[in-house]
Amino acid sequence: MSSLPSHPSALDCYPNWKLEDAKARFSEVVRLAREQTPQRIMVRGKDAVVIISAQEFAKLLPLLEQPNLHDLLSQSPLSHLDFEQSSIQPAVRDVEL
């Protein structure tokens, strides 16, 4: 599971609900998530979950299944190679400007 984005403003554009309010008005929260935009649920003043429509979730699934760059590189046939920095200094020449 990945965590929420490190910058809190990424979720600020979505409506938020206190957990107690979301529980009391769950049908409305679901309706708004389906018809309008994702709905944030807060627990003790912090983001806890985001309710999104099944259609939006289906769009996100392929993104979740894509490997990240680290995974791709670690699966490479060259992943066992150890690259060391060369001690050879490149030739430096003076250039007139």
Side-chain angles (χ1 to χ4, degrees):
M1 281 284 189
S2 47
S3 60
L4 291 174
S6 59
H7 43 63
S9 61
L11 297 174
D12 286 347
C13 61
Y14 298 109
N16 66 334
W17 298 77
K18 291 180 183 177
L19 177 61
E20 307 79 41
D21 296 336
K23 285 169 44 175
R25 298 168 61 188
F26 189 68
S27 294
E28 181 181 359
V29 173
V30 170
R31 181 184 60 77
L32 290 170
R34 289 178 68 195
E35 296 174 1
Q36 294 181 11
T37 186
Q39 305 292 305
R40 295 167 34 203
I41 310 299
M42 314 284 281
V43 175
R44 296 184 196 102
K46 295 184 180 180
D47 287 317
V49 298
V50 176
I51 298 179
I52 63 172
S53 69
Q55 181 180 9
E56 288 297 317
F57 184 70
K59 290 179 190 176
L60 293 174
L61 281 177
L63 298 175
L64 295 173
E65 295 168 359
Q66 291 181 356
N68 62 35
L69 183 59
H70 177 269
D71 292 341
L72 288 173
L73 292 175
S74 64
Q75 295 169 10
S76 164
L78 303 176
S79 64
H80 67 283
L81 296 178
D82 185 23
F83 293 97
E84 293 182 18
Q85 185 174 1
S86 173
S87 60
I88 300 172
Q89 295 294 324
V92 178
R93 61 186 175 133
D94 291 329
V95 177
E96 277 188 44
L97 298 177

